[in-house]
């Protein structure tokens, strides 16, 4: 059955192959990302063991001073560095492969990468020297060395510069291909970069106008309320900056890997546009308990949070429909039984399927957080890290691991080392995370605070004890899985070159209906960017003006270091 005029079938030309320089460039992003994940993840189990009274920090104390320094390294390296470097590297790949041609200005991207790397090194020094033990949210009055703030700024600016490289490539492609729908994966990568650019204005202003001058001694004090508002302006959309590359893979690649097609090109695009417009104006859902934010603004952001829930529901529907189509083509039957026919022996597919399954539960805990009254129960408890280990540490991280199972062989020209171990790695992460995150959610409901070395507590309610132990057991299982992942990546990277026929191609899914049949309004940047800008101004403008006019630099921060 053809749903489209054969003249529209333009996809017949052979796919563009990455040049050696492009492979190397993407490879460097991956090296930094995976190294950060490795180092950052070593601190996770230290915290998890601490919960049940096994304090390993005392043995590394000459180097790392406290639970909080470990927690900061864990959060910054895993949530900020692993994600950002992986995402920018992956976006290079989807823009190049999607558009089927090199970047229009590759030097811009090269500069962007170097700026990110210099920023990372600059931020790493104070982190390691205990001069930036301020956790990954760096809320004042906790004060870090200026080098930490400047380093973070450079990482963000570097990612903006690479973003400019993506926009220019997309603009050039559209000029040369008038009337043709932009390829979905490239479009989606550019939407994510654009969303990130709008979102990061918050922390850019926070750091440049408040934290950096304060840490350099140019101002005496800071305003924690305004700083938190700037931070969450960026902090919430940050989570979708992490999520959307996983969605690019789920919509645009996974259906092909599973042996099927994308169920709806239009729905896939619609969900990305929705993320562009509603990712930013929801940040106050992190500030429901902040006294300085009037309740009406909390209410507006709570309502908008329900609307950003919608594109994820759309994604669950479209991706599962694509997977069902693939499974039935492979002979799968039954209402649920078709799931067994998916290629569970492919580590890349398994990792992403398990990521999606746990994300359903992450979505449930997200909706709980978003409900004002329930948030008052779970805010600042272990529930919140329970939630974000299902989202960023599973939906996102397992998807990125799954992607790297074809991406690293593709860019190195090697075969994946030991695919069976890679499948096992995904299952071990899945099991470890179920144990860990369920225990964290339970602890949260029982009132256990987050960001607290609970093992040090003089008194722990009896009903916490079993859950604290399960946190430690989950952490140990996750550590095993992480080591398996790093081993597979290392052995793949240092392995011998493979026969080109054995090297995986970039999986790009066709959609069931030809993309030319997708309505034009789902392929136009300008109107969506205007709506995004307007919504940000409406949802943040009045509060920002009010908080800036009433700014009170009353928090000196100096000598404010409880560890
Ligand atoms: Fe969240 C706190 C609300 C999603 C990350 N979140 C956090 C924090 C982080 C984080 C890091 O409203 C802590 C920040 C801090 O340190 O203080 N979150 C939400 C809501 C969503 C949500 C409504 N969060 C995420 C994602 C994250 C993330 C995604 C990272 C990537 N979150 C909150 C709120 C707070 C919060 C409050 C503040 C809490 C507080 O009090 O401090 C939604 O976007 C979730 C929508 C998700 C779904 C699930 C759809 C399911 C899909 C799976 C399909 C299945 C497949 C597999 C493909 C509706 C798409 C099929 C498999 C087969 C075998 C067939
Ligand atoms: Cu949020």
């Amino acid at each position: 059955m053809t749903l489209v005029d054969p003249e529209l079938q333009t996809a017949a030309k052979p796919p563009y192959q990455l040049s050696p320089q492009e492979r190397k460039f993407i490879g460097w992003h991956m090296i930094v990302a995976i190294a950060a994940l490795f180092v950052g993840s070593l601190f996770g189990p230290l915290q998890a063991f601490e919960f049940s009274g096994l304090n390993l920090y005392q043995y590394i104390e000459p180097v790392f001073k406290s639970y909080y320094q470990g927690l900061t390294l864990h959060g910054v390296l895993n949530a900020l560095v692993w994600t950002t470097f992986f995402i920018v590297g992956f976006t290079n790949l989807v823009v190049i492969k999607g558009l089927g041609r090199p970047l229009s200005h590759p030097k811009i991207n090269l500069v962007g990468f170097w700026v990110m790397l210099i920023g990372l090194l600059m931020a790493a020094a104070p982190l390691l020297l205990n001069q930036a033990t301020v956790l990954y949210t760096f809320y004042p009055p906790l004060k870090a060395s200026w080098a930490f703030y400047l380093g973070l700024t450079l990482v963000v600016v570097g990612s903006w510069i690479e973003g400019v490289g993506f926009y220019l490539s997309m603009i050039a492609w559209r000029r040369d291909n008038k009337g043709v729908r932009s390829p979905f994966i490239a479009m989606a990568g550019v939407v994510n970069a654009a969303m990130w650019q709008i979102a990061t204005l918050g922390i850019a202003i926070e750091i440049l106008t408040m934290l950096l001058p304060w840490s350099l001694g140019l101002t005496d004090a800071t305003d924690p309320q305004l700083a938190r508002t700037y931070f969450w302006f960026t902090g919430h959309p940050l989570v979708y900056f992490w999520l959307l590359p996983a969605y690019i893979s789920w919509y645009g690649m996974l259906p092909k890997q599973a042996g099927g097609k994308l169920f709806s090109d239009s729905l896939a695009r619609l969900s990305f546009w929705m993320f562009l417009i509603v990712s930013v104006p929801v940040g106050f859902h992190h500030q429901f308990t902040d006294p300085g934010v009037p309740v009406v603004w909390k209410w507006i952001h709570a309502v908008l949070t329900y609307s950003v829930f919608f594109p994820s529901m759309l994604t669950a529907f479209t991706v599962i429909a694509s997977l069902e189509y693939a499974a039935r083509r492979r002979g799968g039957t039954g209402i649920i039984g078709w799931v067994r026919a998916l290629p569970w022996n492919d580590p890349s597919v398994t990792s992403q399927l398990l990521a999606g399954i746990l994300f359903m539960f992450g979505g449930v805990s997200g909706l709980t957080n978003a409900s004002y009254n329930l948030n008052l129960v779970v805010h600042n408890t272990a529930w919140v890290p329970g939630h974000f280990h299902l989202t960023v540490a599973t939906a996102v991280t397992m998807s990125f691991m799954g992607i790297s199972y074809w991406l690293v062989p593709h860019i190195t020209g090697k075969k994946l080392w030991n695919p069976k171990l890679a499948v096992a790695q995904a299952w071990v992460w899945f099991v470890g995370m179920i144990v860990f995150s369920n225990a964290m959610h339970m602890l949260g409901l029982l009132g256990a605070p987050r960001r607290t070395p609970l093992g040090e507590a003089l008194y722990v309610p009896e009903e916490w004890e079993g859950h604290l132990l399960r946190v430690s057991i989950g952490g140990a299982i996750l550590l095993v899985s992480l080591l398996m992942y790093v081993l597979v990546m290392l052995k793949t990277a240092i392995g011998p070159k493979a026969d080109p026929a054995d090297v995986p191609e970039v999986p790009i899914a066709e959609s069931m209906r030809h993309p030319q049949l997708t309505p034009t309004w789902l392929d136009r940047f300008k109107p969506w960017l205007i709506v995004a800008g307007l919504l940000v101004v409406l949802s943040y403008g009045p509060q920002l003006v009010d908080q800036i006019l009433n700014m009170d630099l009353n928090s000196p921060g100096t000598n404010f270091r409880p560890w």
Side-chain angles (χ1 to χ4, degrees):
M1 175 178 62
T2 48
L3 288 163
V4 70
D5 182 341
E7 276 189 21
L8 296 176
Q9 307 281 0
T10 47
K13 60 178 180 183
Y16 171 80
Q17 292 301 335
L18 297 175
S19 70
Q21 289 84 350
E22 287 167 339
R23 285 166 197 257
K24 213 181 205 172
F25 185 55
I26 294 168
W28 273 106
H29 289 82
M30 296 299 146
I31 291 173
V32 179
I34 295 173
L37 176 72
F38 177 58
V39 178
S41 299
L42 295 177
F43 292 95
L46 290 190
Q47 282 133 226
F49 297 157
E50 202 281 338
F51 271 28
S52 57
L54 176 60
N55 184 358
L56 296 182
Y57 279 107
Q58 55 187 310
Y59 301 111
I60 55 169
E61 213 176 2
V63 188
F64 298 107
K65 299 295 172 218
S66 64
Y67 171 91
Y68 289 102
Q69 192 185 1
L71 185 55
T72 306
L73 281 160
H74 179 61
V76 171
L77 289 175
N78 287 10
L80 304 180
V81 182
W82 146 249
T83 49
T84 306
F85 277 82
F86 188 97
I87 291 165
V88 177
F90 182 61
T91 310
N92 272 281
L93 183 128
V94 295
V95 170
I96 296 172
K97 288 295 279 191
L99 300 181
R101 60 196 220 175
L103 293 176
S104 61
H105 298 74
K107 286 211 178 95
I108 294 185
N109 288 69
L110 188 64
V111 171
F113 176 76
W114 274 105
V115 174
M116 279 168 66
L117 192 63
I118 293 169
L120 171 61
L121 297 175
M122 194 178 253
L127 277 172
L128 294 171
L129 295 170
N130 199 28
Q131 298 297 317
T133 297
V134 290
L135 308 182
Y136 86 107
T137 43
F138 49 90
Y139 296 142
L142 298 180
K143 190 178 191 179
S145 148
W146 61 269
F148 174 75
Y149 300 124
L150 189 59
L152 276 188
T153 308
L154 289 180
V155 173
V156 171
V157 170
S159 69
W160 286 353
I161 297 174
E162 289 224 46
V164 171
F166 304 140
Y167 308 147
L168 293 176
S169 302
M170 179 55 100
I171 292 168
W173 184 93
R174 284 167 77 98
R175 215 178 21 233
D176 297 345
N177 292 273
K178 290 223 160 67
V180 183
R181 296 287 172 278
S182 26
F184 167 69
I185 54 170
M187 186 207 93
V190 173
V191 172
N192 195 31
M195 190 273 283
W196 179 237
Q197 202 110 27
I198 302 172
T200 38
L201 292 175
I203 53 163
I205 297 175
E206 180 195 3
I207 294 182
L208 294 178
T209 67
M210 298 179 83
L211 304 185
L212 202 52
W214 173 57
S215 63
L216 285 167
L218 302 176
T219 50
D220 297 333
T222 188
D223 178 342
Q225 178 63 78
L226 177 59
R228 283 169 62 82
T229 301
Y230 283 139
F231 180 85
W232 286 114
F233 180 102
T234 302
H236 180 80
L238 170 67
V239 314
Y240 297 128
F241 171 66
W242 299 331
L243 182 69
L244 294 191
Y247 277 11
I248 294 177
S249 175
W250 294 5
Y251 279 115
M253 297 173 162
L254 188 59
K256 163 97 174 181
Q257 293 177 284
K261 293 185 177 183
L262 168 60
F263 178 71
S264 168
D265 181 80
S266 304
L267 286 183
R269 288 177 204 254
L270 178 62
S271 85
F272 275 78
W273 293 124
M274 290 193 68
F275 277 115
L276 177 71
I277 61 173
V278 276
S279 283
V280 180
V282 299
F284 285 138
H285 72 212
H286 292 267
Q287 294 174 264
F288 284 155
T289 57
D290 279 25
V293 181
V295 77
V296 61
W297 291 100
K298 294 176 179 169
W299 185 84
I300 291 170
H301 282 225
V303 172
L304 285 167
T305 304
Y306 298 127
S307 56
V308 80
F309 199 72
F310 187 70
S312 282
M313 300 297 284
L314 209 67
T315 303
F317 170 75
T318 313
V319 175
I320 293 175
S322 312
L323 291 171
E324 181 174 352
Y325 172 75
R328 294 200 188 282
R329 273 178 106 182
R330 301 167 64 92
T333 51
I335 295 178
I336 302 282
W338 56 265
V339 170
R340 282 201 305 267
L342 290 168
W344 290 97
N345 57 350
D346 177 339
S348 174
V349 173
T350 300
S351 199
Q352 296 183 68
L353 294 178
L354 298 180
I357 292 172
L358 285 191
F359 189 46
M360 296 183 195
F361 297 93
V364 173
S365 58
L367 198 58
T368 312
N369 292 338
S371 314
Y372 183 81
N373 298 49
L374 295 177
N375 185 279
L376 300 184
V377 176
V378 298
H379 182 65
N380 270 341
T381 70
W383 171 283
V384 174
H387 160 69
F388 68 68
H389 279 80
L390 289 179
T391 51
V392 64
T394 300
V396 171
T397 294
M398 276 190 91
S399 295
F400 289 2
M401 287 169 163
I403 291 168
S404 64
Y405 282 146
W406 61 256
L407 189 148
V408 171
H410 179 79
I411 58 172
T412 53
K414 315 271 171 91
K415 251 169 103 167
L416 182 69
W417 181 78
N418 207 336
K420 281 203 175 121
L421 189 72
V423 171
Q425 181 273 323
W427 281 102
V428 175
W429 193 275
F430 181 72
V431 172
M433 197 52 91
I434 290 176
V435 175
F436 174 86
S437 76
N438 178 267
M440 292 291 276
H441 281 97
M442 291 303 296
L443 279 169
L445 290 180
L446 293 170
R450 70 182 284 202
R451 296 180 152 172
T452 307
L454 296 173
E456 299 286 304
L458 296 178
Y459 164 75
V460 163
E462 207 180 313
E463 64 268 33
W464 291 10
E465 280 170 6
H467 301 304
L468 290 171
L469 182 64
R470 286 197 299 133
V471 168
S472 306
I473 296 172
I477 302 174
L478 287 166
L479 177 64
V480 171
S481 176
L482 175 91
L483 296 176
M484 289 161 80
Y485 171 69
V486 174
L487 180 69
V488 174
M489 285 291 102
L490 256 182
K491 293 285 264 181
T492 303
I494 60 173
K497 285 268 178 208
D499 184 331
D502 291 335
V503 174
E505 249 308 317
V506 176
I508 300 179
E510 261 179 71
S511 77
M512 285 190 196
R513 267 162 55 107
H514 195 278
Q516 276 309 106
L517 298 173
T518 297
T520 337
W521 60 273
L522 288 173
D523 191 32
R524 295 183 59 194
F525 281 76
K526 217 182 261 166
W528 295 103
L529 284 168
I530 293 172
V531 175
L534 275 178
L535 213 54
V536 170
V537 172
L538 288 175
S539 63
Y540 263 108
Q543 253 311 288
L544 277 176
V545 170
D546 189 50
Q547 289 191 25
I548 292 169
L549 290 179
N550 291 300
M551 182 163 63
D552 193 358
L553 298 178
N554 59 8
S555 205
T558 330
N559 300 328
F560 192 97
R561 188 181 291 175
W563 41 77

